[in-house]
Amino acid sequence: MAFSLGPRAISVGYRLAAFDQIGSTNTEAISCARAGVSGPMWFVTSEQTAGRGRRHRPWIAPRGNLAASVLEVIDVSPSVAATLGFAAGLALEAALRKVSIDTSLRLAGSDQMKFFLKWPNDVLAGQQKLAGILLEAEAVAGSRLAVVIGIGTNVVAAPEGTAMPATSLAALGVRISAEELFTELSDAWAELRGIWDNGRGFGEIRQRWLARAAGLGGKVAIHTGGATLEGTFDTLDEAGCMIVRTAEGRRVPIAAGDVYFGEAASAGAI
């Protein structure tokens, strides 16, 4: 089965570059942006050999998993562009719900079939990591910003020995291909990108994201460099920062960091 865009993505002008194997879809997208490709365009593969996650951590997609990056060249500031990650999380969560309907009905009530969005860039199945999102951006000709949103999803296999337990769609009993998931993702992204509307619609994106947020209202620990902040995950602010309420009642905005919830937060996980 070949990769293909969904009808909604096609109707609003997305293009597609599909690869049998590639080092990194994000790297390919950024290279194309530097060469003058203006997007919007998807770069996708079911086997990625040199992908990366946050803080340059490796993200390898063995054959059968989905590695997809979308290139958007837009006239917004980097801080506004950063909020696209929340639209991406919502798009992937919507696509995952659609492709897993049969399994969800069969396992009705099972926590493992509930998808959550973990700040800032993960999608969870229950309490296990199913997907990660990475945003990269740089200025291109005409003072515009080339934004690449990379989305890696464990379709057939999940890494072992990770700080946070990981799972795959196959392990959850969802028997679909990377190609099938991508078609749904491309359509969901077209919808959520339209709602985001160059940042003007982030208020709605924020509300939808909070309705699916992992750990909201619970204990959280944020590790940033050598420092740790502990408290309660209070909300998401208008810039996409996590607001942590400390035991003293302070509300602290967090722009980046490694997040641990519940028992992991209480134990001071590293």
Side-chain angles (χ1 to χ4, degrees):
M1 182 177 179
F3 283 106
S4 61
L5 294 164
R8 184 165 193 156
I10 293 172
S11 71
V12 295
Y14 280 86
R15 292 173 290 156
L16 174 64
F19 304 88
D20 180 65
Q21 181 192 79
I22 196 171
S24 165
T25 54
N26 261 35
T27 297
E28 181 67 19
I30 290 172
S31 295
C32 287
R34 291 169 180 164
V37 174
S38 61
M41 187 170 183
W42 280 98
F43 300 79
V44 63
T45 186
S46 61
E47 186 174 9
Q48 180 171 257
T49 59
R52 59 192 180 278
R54 290 177 59 241
R55 302 187 180 183
H56 303 288
R57 294 164 178 156
W59 184 284
I60 307 301
R63 184 164 294 279
N65 278 3
L66 176 63
S69 300
V70 61
L71 169 65
E72 303 276 354
V73 181
I74 46 184
D75 291 310
V76 300
S77 68
S79 60
V80 171
T83 63
L84 264 175
F86 298 98
L90 286 168
L92 180 57
E93 188 268 345
L96 289 167
R97 277 191 288 110
K98 191 163 185 179
V99 301
S100 63
I101 288 175
D102 290 343
T103 307
S104 295
L105 291 173
R106 189 171 68 251
L107 300 176
S110 171
D111 286 343
Q112 70 176 4
M113 290 309 303
K114 296 176 182 177
F115 302 117
F116 300 97
L117 303 176
K118 179 176 179 284
W119 187 93
N121 61 356
D122 293 339
V123 179
L124 309 182
Q127 297 183 16
Q128 297 178 300
K129 183 172 177 175
L130 182 62
I133 296 168
L134 175 68
L135 268 71
E136 298 182 281
E138 63 178 63
V140 292
S143 299
R144 305 183 78 197
L145 195 67
V147 184
V148 175
I149 305 100
I151 303 172
T153 309
N154 300 327
V155 177
V156 300
E160 298 179 355
T162 53
M164 180 176 199
T167 191
S168 66
L169 288 174
L172 296 172
V174 182
R175 306 298 177 184
I176 59 119
S177 67
E179 290 84 354
E180 290 172 290
L181 177 59
F182 171 71
T183 299
E184 297 296 345
L185 173 61
S186 68
D187 271 351
W189 171 255
E191 177 184 359
L192 271 299
R193 167 68 175 85
I195 293 170
W196 180 77
D197 189 23
N198 286 359
R200 289 181 288 269
F202 181 62
E204 182 174 346
I205 295 294
R206 173 180 173 272
Q207 291 302 319
R208 292 190 183 198
W209 191 95
L210 283 168
R212 296 158 176 80
L216 186 65
K219 290 183 179 180
V220 65
I222 315 290
H223 298 291
T224 54
T228 299
L229 175 70
E230 297 184 10
T232 300
F233 179 11
D234 202 32
T235 190
L236 190 74
D237 73 8
E238 290 72 16
C241 292
M242 173 186 274
I243 301 299
V244 176
R245 180 164 38 84
T246 68
E248 299 77 28
R250 292 185 301 122
R251 299 177 80 249
V252 182
I254 303 295
D258 292 322
V259 178
Y260 300 90
F261 293 121
E263 293 180 4
S266 300
I270 296 177

